C-alpha cells in the first residue's frame, strides 16, 4: 500500500457533443436544419467527411430581415435546439456548397466561414 493514490484517467469528451451554456445570450439561435453535407464543388459531387452544415435562425425581435445562418460544424444538433453564437476562428473554409433542404438544389453556402461551436440553451430559458 502506497501513500499516493493513483489518479483516474479523465474520460475523453466526445468533440461532437455541444456543451451546455448557463448564460442566456442577447440573441439566441434556433436550429432549423442539421446534418446537411458540405460540398467542395458546386456540382455537389465531393463532400467533406468530418463536418456538416446546420442552418440557424436568429431569434432577434429587432431584426426586420430574418435570414438563415448556414454554418459548418461537427457538433450534433437536433432540429429545434436552441444555441448561442460561438465560433472557432482557427478552422476556416473558403467557398463551399450545400443541398438547400427546401429546394433540393445545390447552392453556395458561403464564400468564407469559420467553424460553428454553438452551446445548447435550455428551451425554457429561451421562451422566457
Amino acid at each position: 500500500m502506497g501513500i499516493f493514490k493513483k489518479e483516474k484517467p479523465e474520460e475523453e469528451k466526445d468533440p461532437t457533443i455541444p456543451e451546455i451554456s448557463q448564460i442566456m445570450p442577447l440573441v439566441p439561435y434556433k436550429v432549423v436544419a442539421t446534418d446537411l453535407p458540405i460540398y467542395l464543388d458546386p456540382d455537389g459531387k465531393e463532400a467533406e467527411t468530418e463536418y456538416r452544415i446546420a442552418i440557424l435562425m436568429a431569434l432577434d425581435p429587432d431584426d426586420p430581415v430574418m435570414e438563415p445562418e448556414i454554418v459548418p460544424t461537427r457538433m450534433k444538433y437536433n432540429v429545434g435546439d436552441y444555441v448561442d453564437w460561438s465560433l472557432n476562428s482557427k478552422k476556416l473554409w473558403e467557398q463551399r456548397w450545400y443541398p438547400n433542404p427546401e429546394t433540393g438544389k445545390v447552392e453556395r453556402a458561403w464564400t468564407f466561414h469559420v467553424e460553428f461551436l454553438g452551446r445548447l440553451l435550455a428551451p425554457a430559458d429561451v421562451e422566457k
Side-chain angles (χ1 to χ4, degrees), residues 38-77:
I38 299 174
Y39 295 128
L40 303 172
D41 62 289
D43 296 325
K45 293 183 179 174
E46 188 177 355
E48 295 252 353
T49 56
E50 185 179 354
Y51 290 83
R52 306 288 281 176
I53 281 182
I55 300 177
L56 314 173
M57 290 298 288
L59 301 177
D60 184 355
D62 297 329
D63 186 358
V65 180
M66 300 289 282
E67 291 187 31
E69 294 283 347
I70 300 164
V71 298
T73 189
R74 61 186 165 143
M75 297 296 166
K76 294 179 181 173
Y77 299 110

Side-chain angles (χ1 to χ4, degrees), residues 20-115:
I20 297 173
S21 177
Q22 302 298 321
I23 300 169
M24 181 57 58
L26 184 59
V27 177
Y29 290 79
K30 186 172 187 176
V31 178
V32 296
T34 188
D35 202 32
L36 299 170
I38 299 174
Y39 295 128
L40 303 172
D41 62 289
D43 296 325
K45 293 183 179 174
E46 188 177 355
E48 295 252 353
T49 56
E50 185 179 354
Y51 290 83
R52 306 288 281 176
I53 281 182
I55 300 177
L56 314 173
M57 290 298 288
L59 301 177
D60 184 355
D62 297 329
D63 186 358
V65 180
M66 300 289 282
E67 291 187 31
E69 294 283 347
I70 300 164
V71 298
T73 189
R74 61 186 165 143
M75 297 296 166
K76 294 179 181 173
Y77 299 110
N78 294 306
V79 171
D81 283 347
Y82 294 104
V83 295
D84 68 0
W85 189 260
S86 182
L87 301 170
N88 170 15
S89 62
K90 294 179 181 170
K91 177 64 179 164
L92 310 170
W93 287 269
E94 291 190 9
Q95 293 188 59
R96 294 293 189 270
W97 293 262
Y98 78 111
N100 183 318
E102 292 179 5
T103 65
K105 294 181 180 178
V106 175
E107 298 178 6
R108 183 188 317 247
W110 57 77
T111 301
F112 179 81
H113 215 298
V114 295
E115 179 182 13

